[in-house]
Amino acid sequence: MKRKVVQHRWKKKLFALIFVVFCLGSFLFMQTRYNHVVGLVSLQRHFVSKPEVQSPKIAFLFIARNRLPLEIVWDAFFRGGDGKFSIFVHCRPGFLLNKATTRSPYFLNRQVNNSVQVEWGEASMIEAERVLLRHALSDPLNDRFVFLSDSCIPLYNFTYTYDYIMSASTSFVDSFADTKEGRYNPKMDPVIPVYNWRKGSQWAVLTRKHAKVVVEDETVFPMFQKYCKKKPLPEFWRDHYIPADTSKVHNCIPDEHYVQTLLAQKDLEAEITRRSLTHTSWDISNSKDHERRGWHPVTYKYSDATPMLLKFIKEVDNIYYETEYRREWCSSKGKASTCFLFARKFTRTAALRLLDLSVERVP
């Protein structure tokens, strides 16, 4: 009897030991499987990267005759872009930016395919702007839209330019009340009342919202096509009806009024910084003929392209608007800053001379 009790106790101990060994083995097996799965997940994370979040882009919109004479300067500028930009060029109809017409890969085949024939001082200029915007808006990453001429140069490198533009929530549109007689045509009223009539530079920087406003406009643009026309110069009067008093002929340059007036019409002026980021120097003294004064900006030639010129432009920190008795102090990220990121008009030789100086990082 005693022997049977001892055997029974040993059996219980043996079963307990077997159970412990089984549980320990199961635990070790599950731990090994867990570590294996964790290792696979870690390996997957290592080799399968998360989708890269793309930065918003600036669309650079060039209005050119044919070739881009300053492409070498812009080529150096875009090298620091790191994919944060796109380029669209409006040339004359039929002109192609191929290997025979551009040496910069950034401009290769960047011409829009439905360009219009542009005449200075006519509504075709703003139609070219609208064409460029339509193309640029097709890319959802394009968040700012910069209008540039073929004689513009950048004053700073891409990083500084990008930060300056993208840090602002507004468009940059040179806009002020135009009180001089001869620009506004009363026939535009009541579609465009005189109190919404504005003037300024066409070289604007638009937010995506405002770019859409320009493209979708079907009211203001037709009025400009019909009633906003330049006054012919004296040598062309023989081709036009000559009024008794030529001083009363309307002299409306569409691209100097359109975007500004449109945004005023849409009650969007609170969403713009009312200055241009492109410096232009207007010459009103060279011509003795009053009819010819102020029609074109100064063109900087090789001899003008000096460090002093760049220093002068970069040190401008405010702009005064006589018609509104308003002084616009320039700022970026809440701090006083230079007013201009670009400048015009530069010849090819002048721009090349300034190439090394026009890519500085800070003002």
Side-chain angles (χ1 to χ4, degrees), residues 193-362:
V194 67
Y195 56 78
N196 280 337
W197 186 246
R198 300 289 185 271
K199 187 178 185 294
S201 167
Q202 76 177 103
W203 311 115
V205 176
L206 300 180
T207 61
R208 190 172 182 88
K209 175 184 176 179
H210 295 163
K212 287 182 178 180
V213 169
V214 174
V215 167
E216 294 169 359
D217 169 41
E218 296 180 352
T219 304
V220 175
F221 180 60
M223 298 299 291
F224 269 71
Q225 288 179 303
K226 190 172 183 179
Y227 296 119
C228 182
K229 300 180 183 294
K230 69 182 179 185
K231 179 179 178 180
L233 288 169
E235 60 263 38
F236 297 113
W237 282 353
R238 62 181 180 273
D239 299 325
H240 298 78
Y241 166 74
I242 305 176
D245 185 357
T246 58
S247 65
K248 294 183 178 180
V249 176
H250 294 288
N251 183 33
C252 182
I253 311 299
D255 55 82
E256 295 180 357
H257 298 273
Y258 174 64
V259 172
Q260 294 84 348
T261 300
L262 174 62
L263 294 179
Q265 281 279 102
K266 298 293 184 178
D267 196 26
L268 294 172
E269 288 189 297
E271 299 179 8
I272 68 173
T273 298
R274 296 170 64 191
R275 61 182 175 88
S276 174
L277 297 183
T278 299
H279 177 271
T280 305
S281 178
W282 292 90
D283 184 1
I284 60 173
S285 60
N286 281 349
S287 177
K288 295 180 180 179
D289 185 350
H290 177 74
E291 296 288 346
R292 305 181 68 88
R293 291 183 185 177
W295 279 68
H296 293 290
V298 171
T299 297
Y300 295 112
K301 300 179 175 60
Y302 181 85
S303 59
D304 303 314
T306 63
M308 289 78 76
L309 174 63
L310 280 188
K311 184 174 183 293
F312 169 77
I313 296 174
K314 290 180 177 183
E315 287 182 348
V316 176
D317 61 0
N318 71 91
I319 304 168
Y320 183 69
Y321 294 90
E322 293 182 4
T323 61
E324 297 179 341
Y325 304 101
R326 170 173 63 93
R327 187 174 298 279
E328 190 80 23
W329 290 95
C330 303
S331 63
S332 176
K333 299 180 182 179
K335 298 179 180 179
S337 71
T338 182
C339 289
F340 303 113
L341 300 179
F342 314 100
R344 63 188 295 267
K345 300 174 59 173
F346 285 83
T347 63
R348 179 180 174 83
T349 54
L352 291 178
R353 187 179 186 186
L354 291 174
L355 178 60
D356 292 336
L357 298 173
S358 62
V359 291
E360 294 179 8
R361 173 61 178 85
V362 294

Side-chain angles (χ1 to χ4, degrees), residues 68-101:
L68 287 160
L70 310 185
E71 62 179 359
I72 296 178
V73 176
W74 285 103
D75 185 273
F77 173 79
F78 288 126
R79 288 177 192 173
D82 194 27
K84 296 179 180 179
F85 67 92
S86 56
I87 297 172
F88 299 87
V89 184
H90 185 285
C91 307
R92 64 173 172 79
F95 185 83
L96 300 177
L97 287 167
N98 52 34
K99 291 183 178 180
T101 57

